[in-house]
């Protein structure tokens, strides 16, 4: 039986490794960035809004973890809430009436309750601060316009714009879909073409909020009171795009489910087309502004 020495242990392997180390030490001249990101770097205010928009997501994860620990303690002691909704006012009153058999368990329960209360207050403070800081932001008119879409409330709109920046830097909606990682992966060989799951190659924060927004189209098309309030000060062209999005995406959601598609697959497909409608609104909305250059930062070299 012949044994082939691994390339990494051979002279050829050592030479290749040395060449790689030399190239890493001296990469040479920088290559220009191509595609939608060419010549585009976020300015300091844009980075600040992006960081602040990510903070409520982290606070929500901490809040859910604290709630999970509290509910696990209740289940270990066979305490089950029989009301309609968890963490409602009635549920909180029920928690306040609980008495555990031992002082140690009662102290642990009170500490868990304090943690849940603190995480809830932190989330509310971050959301209020984000809403206040976003109003003077130069992208805020686009954030308002995107809220004309169903499922795209303030959190979804501000997160999408903070993560993606100026949507008009994409030449067409397909570039935006690909940038978000919402396009299907492909495995092709010869004449055979096979599509897989979405690539997930783009910004995960923006992709997550779009998929969550896509789940709102599982119901029939309707302009609710909340959507009417958000569309009140918006141009008619933006409202027309939002209604066309409802008609198309609600019907597509229903047809995909009828074909037996998994709900998560349907949500990703709806999010992909929802991104295209967001791109269309950003293109026609008169209040959009261009992204300021990083070179315009205070202290930057001219």
């Amino acid at each position: 039986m012949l044994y082939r020495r691994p390339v990494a242990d051979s002279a050829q392997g050592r030479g290749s490794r040395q060449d790689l180390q030399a190239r890493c030490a001296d990469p040479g001249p920088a290559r220009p960035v191509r595609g939608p990101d060419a010549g585009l770097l976020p300015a300091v205010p844009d980075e600040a809004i992006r960081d602040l928009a990510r903070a409520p997501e982290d606070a929500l994860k901490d809040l859910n973890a604290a709630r999970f620990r509290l509910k696990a303690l209740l289940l270990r002691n066979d305490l089950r809430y029989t009301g309609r909704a968890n963490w409602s006012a009635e549920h909180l009153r029920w928690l306040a009436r609980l008495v555990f058999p031992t002082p140690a368990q009662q102290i642990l329960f009170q500490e868990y309750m304090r943690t849940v209360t603190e995480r809830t207050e932190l989330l509310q403070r971050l959301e209020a601060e984000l809403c206040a800081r976003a109003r003077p932001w130069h992208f805020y008119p686009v954030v308002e316009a995107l809220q004309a879409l169903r499922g795209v409330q303030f959190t979804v709109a501000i997160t999408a714009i903070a993560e993606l920046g100026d949507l008009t830097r994409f030449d067409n909606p397909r570039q935006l879909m690909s940038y978000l990682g919402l396009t299907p992966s492909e495995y092709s060989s010869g004449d055979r073409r096979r599509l897989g799951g979405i690539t997930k190659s783009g910004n995960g924060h923006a992709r997550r909020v779009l998929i969550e927004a896509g789940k709102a189209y599982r119901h029939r098309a309707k302009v609710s009171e909340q959507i009417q309030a958000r569309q009140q000060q918006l141009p008619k062209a933006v409202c027309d795009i939002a209604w066309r999005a409802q008609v198309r995406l609600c019907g597509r959601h229903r047809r995909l489910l009828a074909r037996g598609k998994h709900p998560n697959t349907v949500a990703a497909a709806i999010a992909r087309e929802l991104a295209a409608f967001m791109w269309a609104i950003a293109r026609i909305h008169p209040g959009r502004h261009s992204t300021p250059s990083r070179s315009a930062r205070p202290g930057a070299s001219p």
Side-chain angles (χ1 to χ4, degrees):
M1 180 177 180
L2 297 177
Y3 173 75
R4 184 176 182 181
R5 183 170 53 178
V7 176
D9 297 336
S10 64
Q12 179 183 0
R14 289 195 298 270
S16 301
R17 190 163 56 242
Q18 291 173 359
D19 294 342
L20 177 61
Q21 293 174 354
R23 288 196 301 269
C24 292
D26 185 16
R31 297 179 179 178
V33 178
R34 303 184 185 278
D37 292 335
L40 179 64
L41 291 176
V44 171
D46 299 337
E47 291 179 340
I49 293 294
R50 182 195 62 193
D51 293 339
L52 186 57
R54 292 180 179 180
E57 179 182 352
D58 298 333
L60 182 59
K61 291 180 180 179
D62 295 339
L63 175 59
N64 290 334
R67 288 175 171 178
F68 179 80
R69 287 192 295 268
L70 177 59
K71 294 179 71 174
L73 175 63
L74 299 179
L75 290 178
R76 288 197 300 269
N77 292 272
D78 199 23
L79 297 173
R80 305 174 186 274
Y81 177 64
T82 58
R84 299 185 60 181
N86 287 331
W87 312 112
S88 60
E90 181 181 354
H91 185 210
L92 295 178
R93 289 193 296 268
W94 176 80
L95 290 173
R97 294 192 297 266
L98 293 180
V99 178
F100 285 77
T102 64
Q105 290 175 319
Q106 188 67 33
I107 290 177
L108 180 61
F109 169 72
Q110 295 298 335
E111 292 295 339
Y112 280 177
M113 282 294 300
R114 285 172 57 88
T115 303
V116 171
T117 303
E118 293 171 358
R119 296 294 185 270
T120 303
E121 294 174 352
L122 174 61
L123 178 60
Q124 293 173 352
R125 291 197 303 270
L126 290 174
E127 290 178 343
E129 186 68 19
L130 177 61
C131 184
R133 297 290 180 180
R135 292 187 182 279
W137 190 33
H138 63 101
F139 276 130
Y140 187 71
V142 183
V143 173
E144 284 187 318
L146 294 183
Q147 295 181 61
L149 294 165
R150 182 175 188 166
V152 183
Q153 300 182 6
F154 175 76
T155 301
V156 177
I158 190 69
T159 301
I161 297 301
E163 296 293 340
L164 301 175
D166 187 4
L167 299 183
T168 60
R169 61 192 174 97
F170 299 96
D171 295 334
N172 52 69
R174 293 183 180 275
Q175 286 188 356
L176 176 58
M177 298 173 188
S178 179
Y179 185 85
L180 288 168
L182 289 171
T183 54
S185 57
E186 182 176 348
Y187 303 90
S188 300
S189 178
D191 296 335
R192 180 182 178 184
R193 182 170 180 263
R194 179 177 177 271
L195 299 180
I198 59 175
T199 60
K200 299 183 181 179
S201 60
N203 190 292
H205 298 278
R207 182 172 59 249
R208 180 190 62 82
V209 295
L210 285 180
I211 290 177
E212 290 297 325
K215 296 178 181 178
Y217 292 89
R218 64 185 183 273
H219 306 293
R220 61 184 180 181
K222 177 184 177 183
V223 180
S224 63
E225 296 181 4
Q226 293 80 6
I227 297 178
Q228 287 180 354
R230 299 201 299 264
Q231 295 180 352
Q232 190 171 3
Q233 303 297 331
L234 296 178
K236 183 177 182 301
V238 173
C239 299
D240 292 342
I241 293 178
W243 175 244
R244 290 201 301 269
Q246 275 214 61
V247 174
R248 175 177 174 83
L249 298 184
C250 289
R252 181 163 174 76
H253 195 289
R254 183 172 58 255
R255 290 191 297 271
L256 290 176
L257 284 181
R259 290 168 51 185
K261 297 293 184 180
H262 193 276
N264 293 342
T265 304
V266 176
I270 298 301
R272 180 168 59 249
E273 296 197 17
L274 179 61
F277 285 104
M278 294 174 68
W279 177 86
I281 289 179
R283 293 279 292 185
I284 69 167
H285 186 55
R288 66 179 181 89
H289 303 306
S290 60
T291 305
S293 173
R294 180 182 284 264
S295 61
R297 293 180 172 200
S301 59

